[in-house]
Amino acid sequence: MIETLGVIGGGQLGRMLTLVAKRMGYRVIVLDPQEHSPCGQVADEQIVAAYDDRAAIEELGHRSEIVTYEFENIDIGSVEHLERCGHRVTPSSGVLRITQDRLLEKTFVRGCGIATTEFAAISSALDAEAAAARTGLPAIVKTIRGGYDGKGQWRVDSVEAVRRAFEEARGAPLILEREVDFACELSVIAARGGDGVIVAFPVAENAHDNGILARTIAPARIEPNLAVRAQEMASAIGRGLGIVGTYCVELFLTRGGELLVNEIAPRPHNSGHFTIDTTPCSQYEQHVRAICSLPLSPPRMFCGGVMMNILGDGNGNHLAGTEALLADPTIVLHVYGKRHAVARRKMGHFTMLVDGPIDDAVLALASCALGKLSWR
Ligand code: AMP
C-alpha cells in the first residue's frame, strides 16, 4: 500500500503536485538542496540535500513507497541507484535517460515515426560545417543536457557562429537544430498508467518570451484534426517510452501545417497549469493517480483558460497589485512561495477562466491583468 510519496525536486511543480497528493491523503517527503523550497513549504518533510547525495536519496527511497521527480535535470545515477536498491521510481531511469538528452530524445521520437526538425550532433568545432550542411541555417545550437527555459541556447546563422557557440559552450556536448518557422507552439499534456491506459488533455497553445513560457491558451486555436493528430503523437510517444505518470510533448505547428515534436518532459509541465482550474482532475492529480496505480480520469474542461506566468523582474520581492488583479472573478492566482523575485524567475501564475472563444479581446484582458502586477 502506498502511504508516502518521495519527490525529488522542490520547485513549483513539486509544490502543486504535493498540494494534490495531500488532498488525496498521501504523506509527501521532498528532497531539495534549498531549505524551505516551494515544495518543502507544503510537504510533510523536506530532506535538504543535493540531488546526487546518494545517502540522502537512499533515505528518501527508504522512507517512501514510491519516488517521483518534478524536473528531469536530476542525477540519473541516483535514480539508477534507487532502482538497484529495489525502490520504485516513476518514471523510470530508462525514461529519464532518453528525456535528459536532446539527441537521444529526438532520435527516439523519429524512431516512433514522428517528425522533428532537422538536427545534428556537434562534438567538435570541426563538426560545425557538416552539421550546418545537414540541418540548414538559421539554426539553434543547444546543449544536449541540462538546458531549460531557453538557457544553453544560441541562435546561429553561419558556420562561424556555430563554431563560436561551440567555444562558448566550453566543451559541453551540443546539438544543432534547424530553426522552425512556426505558426504557433503547442503542447500536449498526457498521462499513462501502469496498465498502459493513456489520457491526453486538450492541446495547449504556448507563447514563449526568450525561451521562457509566457502564456498558455487552452484549448489551442487550431483545426480539430490537427489537435487530434497532436494528441495521437503524444500517445504514441508515451507508449514508446513506457512512461508511467504525467508527461508533456511540446510541438511546433509549421506555417506549412506540419506538426514537429520539439521536446518531451517526463513530468507535469508549466503549460499544463491550466488543468488545475479548468478540469476536475489536473495534470498533477493524473500523475499521483498514475504512480499510485489508481484509475486515470478522462480529461474534460469546464471552461477554457488563459494561463499567464508571473516572472520576477529584479525590482523587489513583494508582489503588488493582487487586489486589482483579483477584482476580476475569472482569475485564479497561484503564488509559489519563492523568497527572491530574481529577474525572469517563475514566481507564480494565474489562470483566466474563459467561457466561449478565446479571441484577441480575451487575450488583451489577460495581458492587461498581468500588467496590474508589479514587484516592490
Ligand atoms: P526548448 O528548450 O527546446 O523548449 O526551447 C525553448 C524555446 O525556444 C521553444 O519553445 C521555442 O520558442 C524556441 N525554440 C527552440 N528550438 C527551436 C527551433 N528549432 N526552432 C524555432 N524555435 C525554437
Side-chain angles (χ1 to χ4, degrees):
M1 210 178 66
I2 297 173
E3 287 181 355
T4 305
L5 312 183
V7 180
I8 304 175
Q12 64 271 15
L13 297 167
R15 178 183 175 103
M16 289 179 265
L17 180 70
T18 297
L19 289 170
V20 165
K22 294 303 300 171
R23 168 167 62 71
M24 294 172 76
Y26 294 101
R27 293 189 76 251
V28 178
I29 306 178
V30 57
L31 183 146
D32 191 276
Q34 184 212 327
E35 253 182 294
H36 307 299
S37 64
C39 181
Q41 293 167 25
V42 297
D44 292 276
E45 285 178 61
Q46 178 174 339
I47 298 172
V48 180
Y51 302 125
D52 60 355
D53 179 334
R54 291 287 161 93
I57 288 273
E58 259 179 50
E59 185 190 339
L60 184 72
H62 280 305
R63 294 176 59 198
S64 44
E65 283 80 36
I66 189 141
V67 174
T68 189
Y69 41 89
E70 60 120 39
F71 77 128
E72 61 273 34
N73 292 324
I74 55 172
D75 178 44
I76 191 157
S78 298
V79 172
E80 288 167 340
H81 179 69
L82 275 182
E83 288 174 339
R84 272 196 305 275
C85 297
H87 299 293
R88 284 175 63 196
V89 188
T90 310
S92 68
S93 62
V95 170
L96 194 58
R97 177 169 296 289
I98 293 172
T99 52
Q100 273 189 341
D101 181 310
R102 291 186 191 272
L103 197 58
L104 283 182
E105 184 175 78
K106 286 211 159 52
T107 307
F108 165 80
V109 170
R110 289 268 180 106
C112 295
I114 292 171
T116 68
T117 191
E118 293 302 325
F119 63 93
I122 314 175
S123 38
S124 88
L126 298 173
D127 293 344
E129 195 163 349
R134 181 148 164 210
T135 62
L137 294 170
I140 320 278
V141 176
K142 300 181 184 178
T143 52
I144 283 181
R145 305 173 146 270
Y148 64 97
D149 287 345
K151 291 182 183 143
Q153 300 194 6
W154 299 262
R155 184 181 184 276
V156 290
D157 52 12
S158 67
V159 172
E160 195 38 49
V162 179
R163 287 202 191 99
R164 272 201 304 275
F166 182 80
E167 271 154 32
E168 264 182 60
R170 294 209 215 107
L174 300 176
I175 183 172
L176 187 67
E177 294 181 11
R178 172 72 187 241
E179 185 177 55
V180 179
D181 180 22
F182 54 79
C184 67
E185 293 189 76
L186 304 170
S187 59
V188 181
I189 307 290
R192 182 176 176 276
D195 54 4
V197 170
I198 295 178
V199 295
F201 285 95
V203 179
E205 178 183 336
N206 303 315
H208 291 82
D209 174 17
N210 276 317
I212 299 189
L213 184 67
R215 182 186 73 195
T216 295
I217 299 169
R221 300 163 302 167
I222 57 172
E223 296 293 325
N225 62 325
L226 277 174
V228 169
R229 176 75 193 116
Q231 287 175 318
E232 284 170 356
M233 288 161 98
S235 296
I237 285 172
R239 259 193 310 279
L241 282 174
I243 191 171
V244 174
T246 290
Y247 61 101
C248 171
V249 175
E250 291 185 76
L251 309 102
F252 298 117
L253 174 61
T254 68
R255 292 192 192 279
E258 199 185 358
L259 287 167
L260 304 177
V261 166
N262 178 33
E263 63 176 354
I264 309 164
R267 52 165 172 81
H269 191 260
N270 191 167
S271 67
H273 291 346
F274 74 89
T275 63
I276 302 174
D277 305 307
T278 64
T279 75
C281 182
S282 70
Q283 61 167 349
Y284 300 100
E285 180 164 346
Q286 303 278 16
H287 189 71
V288 172
R289 289 183 181 217
I291 69 175
C292 295
S293 305
L294 297 168
L296 301 182
S297 173
R300 183 168 61 84
M301 287 183 79
F302 302 131
C303 61
V306 179
M307 189 284 307
M308 304 291 285
N309 265 342
I310 302 169
L311 303 183
D313 64 7
N315 287 325
N317 299 319
H318 171 73
L319 184 61
T322 51
E323 251 179 82
L325 179 80
L326 294 176
D328 179 343
T330 68
I331 283 182
V332 188
L333 177 65
H334 299 254
V335 179
Y336 307 148
K338 297 181 185 177
R339 225 176 273 165
H340 301 292
V342 176
R344 298 178 65 68
R345 188 176 196 200
K346 290 173 182 169
M347 299 299 292
H349 74 269
F350 65 78
T351 302
M352 178 176 270
L353 308 176
V354 186
D355 288 313
I358 300 180
D359 54 18
D360 288 349
V362 169
L363 296 180
L365 278 178
S367 296
C368 177
L370 185 65
K372 292 178 182 161
L373 299 173
S374 62
W375 292 98
R376 301 248 170 95

